[in-house]
Amino acid sequence: MKKVKVGIVGLGRLGRKHAGNLAFRIPHCELTAVCSVVEEEVQEVMDAWNIPYGYTKYEDMLANPELDAIFIASPSNFHCEQIKQALSLGFHVFSEKPLGLYVEEALDVETAVKAHPDQVFMLGFMRRYDRSYMAAKEKIEAGIIGKPFLIRCYGLDPASKMDSFLTFARANYSGGLFLDMSIHDFDLARWYLGEEAKEVWAIGGSYARPEFDEIEDAETGAAMVRFENNAIGIFVAGRNCAHGYHIETEIIGTKGTLRIGTVPERNQVVIMKDEGVIQECVDGFLERFEQAYLSETEEFINCILDKRKPAITVKDGVQSTILGYSCKKSFETGRLIQVKTEKIIQG
Ligand SMILES: NC(=O)c1ccc[n+]([C@@H]2O[C@H](COP(=O)([O-])OP(=O)(O)OC[C@H]3O[C@@H](n4cnc5c(N)ncnc54)[C@H](O)[C@@H]3O)[C@@H](O)[C@H]2O)c1
């Protein structure tokens, strides 16, 4: 079978994980080119993994005639332009979330994806490929908890990564707490509830580290969302979780409740000693979602080979961006925001 030849842009925390999966763990896929603005990163990955082509300019990578697909793991403010450029040159495209930092950007990408119906486009909402989140979806569809009407999500980054995050956030790369972190939860809420958000009120602040005030972002925040069918969403996001990386989701239905990740344990080892009973916690997204990152990448490559489209659509990216941006706006203005595209754009 023909191998799909992929070029990846962005070789940072997540880019390197994706690059490793593409290079070594996916059948019928070859990591042919790597690109980053940092030359040392490019050289290091090329040398270590024997990658034939390396670039410091994205446009140069796009000019490589051997490539079939582009994998985007650059900072979020570049996604929109890089997706559009790659699509216009005929490539299949996988992009990390979010689709864009602004609603206009997300709508722009949607237009570009629709203009290239024969190319595969996939967005990195990897939780939909995590075994536990997939099992929860199956149980909801089987009616185990009746009709879901409330979703409560915790997305908490470890306090130990706060300094590196502050550097990332200061560069204006992230889009803020809600667009950067809660976006996964917004996508899950839409997926599980089958509804779009109607209105949102978001608050937040800096409790351990005042630097977040300086960059006009929240260290910890919460959003309360009413969905079109009156279902409720409660979304808590934070950067200061003392015990590690805590991703927890609860879905309450008319006949029962599902919980995923209530204790974000690293493994099944329980340590019992004089200081108490301890279960170690995962320390970040790379550890918690290792299987999901691999499975989503497999799906992207299989979609190209099988000439089919992934279940996650560009509309999922647009709607989650609209909700994330509405939360940002509510947090900044202190107002209840009606989640309507035109209103968000016009302010
Ligand atoms: N799905 C998830 O769970 C998840 C987790 C973390 C990050 N992300 C997303 O992945 C993306 C990357 O995040 P990260 O944490 O790996 O960031 P990072 O800062 O660690 O890495 C960014 C990489 O992109 C390179 N780069 C910067 N500007 C570039 C440009 N103009 N052209 C080419 N390369 C450029 C940097 O040199 C670096 O290699 C972000 O959009 C982020 O939102 C998703």
Side-chain angles (χ1 to χ4, degrees), residues 245-294:
Y245 181 62
H246 190 139
I247 302 296
E248 178 181 342
T249 309
E250 178 176 71
I251 307 122
I252 303 181
T254 49
K255 292 184 186 162
T257 295
L258 297 173
R259 270 195 200 157
I260 306 146
T262 302
V263 180
E265 70 264 23
R266 163 164 284 162
N267 50 41
Q268 293 188 22
V269 177
V270 178
I271 306 163
M272 294 177 233
K273 53 191 295 244
D274 50 0
E275 62 204 81
V277 179
I278 300 159
Q279 264 195 296
E280 289 177 326
C281 180
V282 286
D283 83 341
F285 53 85
L286 294 176
E287 186 179 358
R288 168 64 183 86
F289 290 110
E290 186 185 17
Q291 169 263 317
Y293 292 127
L294 179 61

Side-chain angles (χ1 to χ4, degrees), residues 50-61:
N50 220 4
I51 308 297
Y53 300 100
Y55 304 91
T56 52
K57 274 187 73 186
Y58 182 60
E59 289 74 12
D60 292 345
M61 182 167 80

Side-chain angles (χ1 to χ4, degrees), residues 33-48:
V34 293
C35 172
S36 166
V37 282
V38 180
E39 196 174 346
E40 298 78 55
E41 289 180 350
V42 175
Q43 205 54 55
E44 197 187 313
V45 175
M46 286 177 76
D47 293 346

Side-chain angles (χ1 to χ4, degrees), residues 9-15 35-38 41 73-76 78-79 82 96-98 124 126 168 180 184 285 293:
V9 59
L11 295 170
R13 296 179 306 167
L14 188 52
C35 172
S36 166
V37 282
V38 180
E41 289 180 350
S74 54
S76 306
F78 296 110
H79 294 178
Q82 291 181 340
E96 259 316 320
K97 55 70 167 162
M126 81 296 180
F168 180 77
D180 186 45
H184 288 294
F285 53 85
Y293 292 127

Side-chain angles (χ1 to χ4, degrees), residues 109-161:
V109 175
E110 184 178 34
T111 307
V113 170
K114 285 183 173 163
H116 299 92
D118 297 332
Q119 290 156 241
V120 174
F121 173 76
M122 185 164 167
L123 190 65
F125 282 142
M126 81 296 180
R127 289 195 203 169
R128 293 199 193 196
Y129 293 88
D130 173 79
R131 284 191 199 105
S132 302
Y133 282 99
M134 287 168 79
K137 175 73 171 167
E138 281 164 20
K139 293 193 188 315
I140 290 169
E141 286 190 343
I144 305 268
I145 61 163
K147 188 166 174 46
F149 64 86
L150 189 150
I151 183 161
R152 175 183 64 83
C153 302
Y154 282 178
L156 307 175
D157 260 352
S160 60
K161 307 269 168 73

